[in-house]
Amino acid sequence: MGIDVPWPRPGTLRTSLALAGAGFRRWATYRQAMLAGAFTNTIFGFLRCSVMLAVAGGAGGVAAGYRGPQLVTYVWVGQGLLAVVQLWGWTELADRVRTGDVQSDLLRPIHPVLTYLTADLGRAAFAMCTRFAAPLVVGALAFQLYVPHRLTTYPLALVSVLAATVVSFGVRYLVNLSAFWLLDIRGVLVAWLLCANVLTGLYFPLAFLPGWVQPILWYGTPFPSILQAPVDVLVERGSEAHQLSILAVQLGWAAAVLALAVLVQRRAERGLVVQGG
C-alpha cells in the first residue's frame, strides 16, 4: 500500500504560504530570545573556532581535508545553522498531544505534517535572516572565512540548507509523534539530543572519524544531512560532483523522513480513534 504524501495542491498552496508567513511573524516577535541566542552562539563560535584552528595547526595546516579557513567557516556557519535547523528543544506537537489540543490539528483541511512543515519553514526563514547572519558577520570580522570559488556553490548551499531544515523537521516530528504512545517523550527527546549533538557534525567534522564509520552515518542515518552536509557544500570540500552527491543524499533523507512521518501520523490517528472509543 502506498503512502499518500501531503504535497500542497493548488487549492492549499495559498494556505501553505500563509502558514509559512505566520511562522515567520510568530518567531519575529521573540526579539529578546533571538538576540540572546545569537549572542550565545557567537560566544561558543569563538571557543569552537579556537579549538579547530589548534587542531589544524597541530596537523600541519590541514585536518581531515579541511584547511584553516574552511574549518573557520565550518564553525561559524554551523553556529548559524543551529537555529535554522532548530537542532534542539521542539516539543510543540507532543505538548498538544498530551493536552488533547491535537484533535483540532486533525480537523484542519491540511495534513498535520504539511501544516507543521510550512510553519517550520517560515521559522527557519526568520532564523536565516537573524540567528544565521549575526554569528557569520562576527566570524567574518574576527577570522578569515573561506569564500567559495565556484559560483554554483551558492545555489547548491541554499538548496542544501533547505533540505537540512526539512530533514531536521522530519526527525523532530517523529520524536514528537512518540507522544501518541508514550505521552511523556523526555526519554526519546534526550536520545535525539545526544545523537543530534554528536552525529550531525556539531562537535567536530565527521571526517575526523574513522573511514569505515563515515558511510554508515551518511547513508544509514539522517544526522549528517542536518548540519554536516550544508557546511561541506559551502566550504567546497571536494569537487562539484561531490557536492551534488551530498545534496542527493540529503534529498533522499528528506523524502524518507517525511514519508515516514506521514505513515506514523496515520498509525497515531488510528490509535487515537481507538483510545477515544
Side-chain angles (χ1 to χ4, degrees), residues 105 158 263:
D105 298 337
L158 289 176
L263 177 62

Side-chain angles (χ1 to χ4, degrees), residues 43-110:
I43 296 300
F44 277 97
F46 280 102
L47 297 175
R48 292 184 59 214
C49 200
S50 299
V51 173
M52 289 299 172
L53 288 177
V55 171
V62 181
Y66 296 93
R67 298 187 179 274
Q70 288 178 308
L71 283 175
V72 169
T73 304
Y74 178 93
V75 169
W76 288 104
V77 171
Q79 290 300 112
L81 285 177
L82 282 176
V84 176
V85 301
Q86 200 176 21
L87 205 60
W88 305 311
W90 184 69
T91 59
E92 181 178 347
L93 176 60
D95 294 338
R96 292 179 66 81
V97 172
R98 188 174 62 253
T99 60
D101 293 335
V102 71
Q103 61 181 334
S104 61
D105 298 337
L106 304 179
L107 296 176
R108 293 171 181 167
I110 302 180

Side-chain angles (χ1 to χ4, degrees), residues 148-179:
H149 302 308
R150 297 189 291 265
L151 292 178
T152 54
T153 295
Y154 295 97
L156 288 176
L158 289 176
V159 176
S160 182
V161 170
L162 176 60
T165 305
V166 174
V167 174
S168 174
F169 164 80
V171 179
R172 288 183 282 114
Y173 194 88
L174 288 169
V175 170
N176 277 252
L177 281 177
S178 66

